[in-house]
Amino acid sequence: MKQILPRCKRWSKKACIDHFGLLDCNAAFKICFEEIIPYLVLSKKCDTGKDCYLLELDIVAYLDSPEVRKTLGVDHAFGNFTNIAMDVYDRFCESGDPLHQTQLYIPEPLVRDVRVHIDAGIYDFIADWVGNERRTLDMDWAGQEAFAESL
């Protein structure tokens, strides 16, 4: 981890940020992901054999509850909430979507008062609460100061 992390940071910055190239960025992501993931997965195996989190069923039940769906304005046509739709995830990956700097596109909807949900998990290395807190507090947008003061 001590050797691969600095290399992955440099490689990812060069291939995904300084000059985005889908092939190079995807290669950096895949190789670094495979090298780093064993150190970061803190979940346990469920009865299904997949990784899971202790509160997963509670989260799904909450987000799929009629009250929450109504509050969020979820159309009934969307069906039940699911925590992972692998077909959707696969299509995002094929397009290179996870490799783009999406944080550059978040401020614009916020300025238009679009409500957002920032997902954060205690044991989740992708949507970890420390990283999400840093990203949301450091993001440059019109409501940044008021947002930071509200916490």
Side-chain angles (χ1 to χ4, degrees):
M1 179 73 135
K2 191 176 185 179
Q3 293 177 343
I4 194 69
L5 191 57
R7 289 179 179 175
C8 284
K9 283 182 174 182
R10 283 192 307 274
W11 190 12
S12 297
K13 184 177 182 304
K14 182 178 178 183
C16 305
I17 296 172
D18 294 345
H19 173 75
F20 183 82
L22 183 57
L23 291 175
D24 291 338
C25 186
N26 199 26
F29 175 77
K30 285 183 176 182
I31 291 170
C32 292
F33 185 84
E34 292 298 322
E35 290 292 326
I36 294 170
I37 190 73
Y39 298 100
L40 301 176
V41 174
L42 300 176
S43 60
K44 65 172 192 158
K45 294 290 181 193
C46 288
D47 295 335
T48 62
K50 298 178 183 176
D51 289 338
C52 70
Y53 302 96
L54 298 174
L55 298 176
E56 184 173 4
L57 296 176
D58 293 331
I59 292 167
V60 170
Y62 173 76
L63 291 173
D64 205 31
S65 70
E67 308 86 50
V68 171
R69 291 173 65 96
K70 181 179 179 184
T71 300
L72 294 175
V74 177
D75 190 312
H76 295 291
F78 286 110
N80 293 340
F81 173 82
T82 181
N83 61 334
I84 298 175
M86 289 309 293
D87 59 327
V88 174
Y89 172 78
D90 290 342
R91 280 184 259 148
F92 272 108
C93 289
E94 288 168 10
S95 72
D97 183 82
L99 308 174
H100 291 283
Q101 296 185 71
T102 54
Q103 71 272 21
L104 302 175
Y105 303 98
I106 295 171
E108 190 175 320
L110 292 175
V111 170
R112 295 193 317 266
D113 292 327
V114 173
R115 294 170 63 183
V116 299
H117 167 80
I118 306 295
D119 183 49
I122 294 171
Y123 301 114
D124 192 330
F125 77 97
I126 293 174
D128 66 287
W129 71 269
V130 174
N132 280 337
E133 180 180 53
R134 287 179 184 158
R135 277 187 291 280
T136 55
L137 291 175
D138 293 345
M139 186 172 29
D140 187 24
W141 65 290
Q144 178 184 23
E145 189 176 315
F147 172 74
E149 289 174 1
S150 72
L151 301 176

